[in-house]
Amino acid sequence: MSSAAAKAAPAPSPPKEWTLEPETEYRFELDPGTSLAIKLVRGHAEVFGAELAEGKTYLFAHECKAAVFTYQGCTIEMSCIPSTEYVSDETPMYPYANVHIALEKMRLLARDAHHGSPPSGTEADSEPPRVLVIGPENAGKTTVCKTLANYAVRAGQDWAPVYINVDPGEGGWTVPGSISATSISAPLTTASPAHPLGNAATSAPTTLTSNALLPIVYWYGHSETKRNPLLLDRQIRNLGENVNERHEVDAEGRAAGLIVDTPSSFAASSSSSGADHRLMLIRACVDAFRINVILVVGHEKLNVEMQRTYGNRINVVKIPKSGGVVDLDPPYRHRIHNYQLHAYFYGHPINPPPGLPTSANATAGGESAMETNLSPSSSVISFDDLTIYRIGEKSMAPSSALPIGATRSVSEMQPVKVDPASPGSGVLNAMLALLAPPNPDDNERYDEEVLDLQVAGFLAVTSIDVPRRRMTVLSPGPGSFAGRTAIMGSFEWTES
Amino acid sequence: MSMYSQVPAYQQTSYPVHGYPPQAPSYAYPSTSAIYPVDPSTFRRDYSARLAELTENSRPVIQGLSLYAQDYSRWADVAVSCIESHIRRVPPWMKLPAFYLIDAISKNVYEPFGPIFGSRVSPLFLESYDQVDPSTRTKMEEMLLTWRNGGPNGRQLFGAGVQSALERQLWGSGATPETSRRDFIAKAQVLGELNTTLNQTQQKLQINPYDTEARNTLAILQQLRSVVEDGVSQQHLVEIRSELHSLARPPPLLSAAPVAPALYPSAATYPPPVSYSHDRGTPMPPVPHSGTSYPPAPKPVVPSSEPSSSYTGLLSAPAPSGPVAVPSNISSLLDTLAKAGWGSSGGTPVGAGTTAPVSQAEAEADPSREAAREYREAIFSENIKFTSTDITKTKPNIVHILYDRLPVQCKQCGIRFPDTTQGKKTMESHLDVHFRQNRRAHQNLGRGHSRSWFVGVEDWVHDVSASSKGKESADPSRPLNVKVVAAAEAAKRGAELRAQSVVVPPGDEAKHIACPICKETLKSEFNEDDEEWVWRNAVKAEDGRIFHATCHADALSSLSTSTALVARLRQGLADGSRSGTPDDPSSRVVKSKSPSPASNLGKRKIDTDFTAVKVEDGTPPSKKLMLSATA
């Protein structure tokens, strides 16, 4: 399958060509600090459902692990040889395509119903697809979601499905620790795990709509769902309310449906300690987003479990997992978190691999690399300007681990005010979620309102001056933080 | 009007046939007559200054520069050296328009510019070619192909030597047809020519989707391309190329015939270049300097009438009979190509052209509904049950749904569109978005960007603009955020204000007049409809002073009374008198009527411009509002 010429020439940067047979994919994994340029020489190819334009050079970096798939066969040219690369002819793309077509049928029926066409079936038949994707760790859940979203926007029907990420361990278009939703109207490209699902909007002009997403964001603050499942449950339901409200406003756009990407802990085997909360969180998602399709990625037992619980009212479908998924170890996930945090403030510039001619006009997923440099602003603020809360105790054992009869002094959902001056406050280097302003109407205010406010942006505390009661915060852009509220989580900012 | 370079405002191929009427009354440039260069150095300075305006592919600018050069053809070498140094100096993305200028001057005027450019164009072309991006390269290649027979009597525009040298540099050892017909021809060269012809045919189809000839030709050309891509022998390459050349050869009957004045396109409805592609070899004798031969600013005609006529008599020469060794598929392809699309001769070309749009209107009664129906059929014909077993067993025709159904692809980001009139339109507006973003990116070079703050719940819930794919003309029935509507209205009001104009009094063309509020010079431009010079975004106050319409409206609309304004206006008054506007006591009327906070003065005009740009770019206004709310 590979061209023999490449192996014969170990020169510094031999442009290497792969010719892919139809229905195969080229998979690669990058080492830290390396980047790769891929050009589609001829044929058609896509990366996780986003089509590559012929003749354009695409850059990949930050330990990106991705695959170039082709239905019709193609030739691609590589700038260098990644640490791991191979071609596979076993892909689950046809099952995924079938799922896409099934979802398209639902969308078309839903649109017909909206336009007042005679209903062709029962009431349930005209509901747009609202898909929950669950599966164990390293099953390729996000890849499935991304591919399905990309196929939907490529249909040329002006679909703009709402993509919901409830996996706090995955930043998506924001930072890890948050859960968020955004409407997708253009294919989500792949360039770097720092932005696996496109990019939240910046002030820079972007070529791709998927790099100017307008998400709504809630801050859970931890990467593990078991850390505070009650909080996550509440935020999932908040997010669901927003999404439903939006779909009521936009009845036409509602037909495109929604896709929910979930954390792997939703599928953890029942023997593990997280079992008690995961069913609760799945229930929260099903209720909040009015799920009518559950896709279980490569997990027999989970499929059976879901069939039993929801099979009578929700279409539960098991889909195969890709053989190309990579087992991600905790250090890798930690590095990805740092990439994502860093990319939030500074963008994600990708240095082209050495030897790539500048005339190649390389782009990061179709975005010119130049535009991805961001300048955050750093400002010194008084301790009194910003009110910082932590939700629940700093380190909290699960309720089940408490002695029988014991109750917490601080409940899981109680906002605890953090004094940056107190030793061990943990504010230094903490990531803070700056909350949106609370309801201006005092009558509408309530004690736990901070739990339900969405995020306006993220801050990082880079230094603290206790004697003068001042701290330096890094913010995405200039702004005043006086009188604002921020929530602390367990994520720390390290300047790299 | 699409401003994106794929549908360029200026197309080099189309010039010859029109023979741009020099000194046509409607295009006279009063400004040049006002400042009459009397010596070469003045001319050099003026010409360089005007060249600096050539930052994008703008037809009026290129025309203006071309005419200006023609008027001073006695200093042709000065103009040529100006253009040359301009191309060397500007950044790569500004080079192509300048080459279009060279192309325009050489093809339309030829003497004495052609030979002068001929001696210099080669290194210039190659240097620039190395610096520009791939899409611009394609454009330059296309332009180079038109130079093959762009000169008088269908000869090479800059001479055979220059042409073959350039082609050799670009496509390797492929040589010009004249020098070595049987020599090695690079596959890339043939592919390039094929693509050019393909594009032209596609554009022809775009004008008239019911042109079955063009459709057949397109299909054959596409097959040919895939054959060539797979690799064919030298002989076949030679044959394919000679066929392509014969397609491009100008029909003899058209070479002498003047173009009907009615076909002369106005700037606004300039038909895509393909309509005239086969006339590119038409000899371009310098048009006599008589401004009377063409009526000024004629009405645009149905563009599709021209292509049919220009195809008349094309390829009356049969396709060269290939060698016996040619595999049947290629020779048959070439045969069909010669017979079907290109060989046909329409009896009454004009009639054929005019009937086409009618049938088109009938057939495409509701193209969008038709397209939606087809998509439904494609989706529902896939008989898949949404179950775990079914989705792994069946193999859908996903390639059709994702790829073949949508043959028109954006080369920037790979997004596809259906090959329908509607799809083309969507594609065009999509490309416009790219174009504006690229322009903004260029303008923003070196400026810092930052992550935006996230939107608030209200804005997110009501933000449906994201689902309209950047289309500004969103369905009015869709509920829109009040703020969005307000912003759109403000933008519309701004646009209306900016469209206001004041006719420049005769003799004042050269005068620079500043707006008394913002102190910036009013821009004058030539209004082609009224054939008059006007100040844009201008309004004449009762006292006769000229304001920016936007500044004036701001001042009027503001209700607060500020003494700062009075002071400022008084100062403006003084400025006005300095610039020769009579200081009339009646101006106080304006003053008392237009109290405005000081903040309204100064740079407000720029602010409103900025708002308009933002909205036009499809930036959801909610984001801005949110930004300002957080700041």
Side-chain angles (χ1 to χ4, degrees), chain A residues 51 104-105 112 155 206 375, chain B residues 375-376 382 405 437 449:
Chain A
E51 189 179 353
E104 282 295 283
K105 284 182 185 173
D112 287 352
T206 51
S375 327
Chain B
Y375 182 69
R376 276 187 74 95
E382 299 290 343
R405 196 175 57 80
Q437 275 162 338
H449 295 294

Side-chain angles (χ1 to χ4, degrees), chain A residues 23 44 46 51 98 104-105 112 155 158 185 199-201 203 206 214 246 249 318 343-344 361 375 456 476, chain B residues 133 375-376 382 384 388 391 394-395 403 405 409 416 437 449-452 454 457 460 463 466 471 479:
Chain A
E23 296 164 34
H44 301 294
E46 51 186 54
E51 189 179 353
N98 279 322
E104 282 295 283
K105 284 182 185 173
D112 287 352
D158 284 352
S185 59
N199 223 326
S203 64
T206 51
L214 296 176
R246 180 186 171 113
V249 171
K318 182 173 76 80
Y344 174 76
N361 248 332
S375 327
Chain B
D133 61 34
Y375 182 69
R376 276 187 74 95
E382 299 290 343
I384 304 156
S388 306
I391 59 157
T394 44
K395 207 169 172 180
Y403 291 89
R405 196 175 57 80
Q409 189 181 21
R416 290 175 174 274
Q437 275 162 338
H449 295 294
S450 58
R451 176 84 53 200
S452 306
F454 297 131
V457 172
W460 190 82
D463 168 47
K471 276 180 283 173

Side-chain angles (χ1 to χ4, degrees), chain A residues 125-138:
Chain A
D125 274 346
S126 60
E127 281 297 298
R130 290 186 291 260
V131 187
L132 183 75
V133 179
I134 55 176
E137 217 170 336
N138 307 321

Side-chain angles (χ1 to χ4, degrees), chain B residues 377-398:
Chain B
E377 271 174 18
I379 288 292
F380 283 92
S381 67
E382 299 290 343
N383 200 7
I384 304 156
K385 286 196 198 72
F386 203 3
T387 63
S388 306
T389 43
D390 239 42
I391 59 157
T392 48
K393 273 184 193 152
T394 44
K395 207 169 172 180
N397 191 5
I398 188 74

Side-chain angles (χ1 to χ4, degrees), chain B residues 372-442:
Chain B
R373 197 184 54 76
E374 273 172 30
Y375 182 69
R376 276 187 74 95
E377 271 174 18
I379 288 292
F380 283 92
S381 67
E382 299 290 343
N383 200 7
I384 304 156
K385 286 196 198 72
F386 203 3
T387 63
S388 306
T389 43
D390 239 42
I391 59 157
T392 48
K393 273 184 193 152
T394 44
K395 207 169 172 180
N397 191 5
I398 188 74
V399 173
H400 169 74
I401 290 168
L402 288 181
Y403 291 89
D404 300 346
R405 196 175 57 80
L406 308 163
V408 183
Q409 189 181 21
C410 168
K411 289 190 170 58
Q412 298 257 323
C413 61
I415 293 174
R416 290 175 174 274
F417 301 93
D419 191 10
T420 59
T421 333
Q422 185 66 33
K424 296 260 172 56
K425 248 185 229 157
T426 323
M427 166 87 163
E428 245 172 55
S429 59
H430 169 84
L431 291 177
D432 278 351
V433 171
H434 274 315
F435 178 80
R436 284 198 295 266
Q437 275 162 338
N438 289 347
R439 195 177 49 186
R440 267 178 72 201
H442 286 306

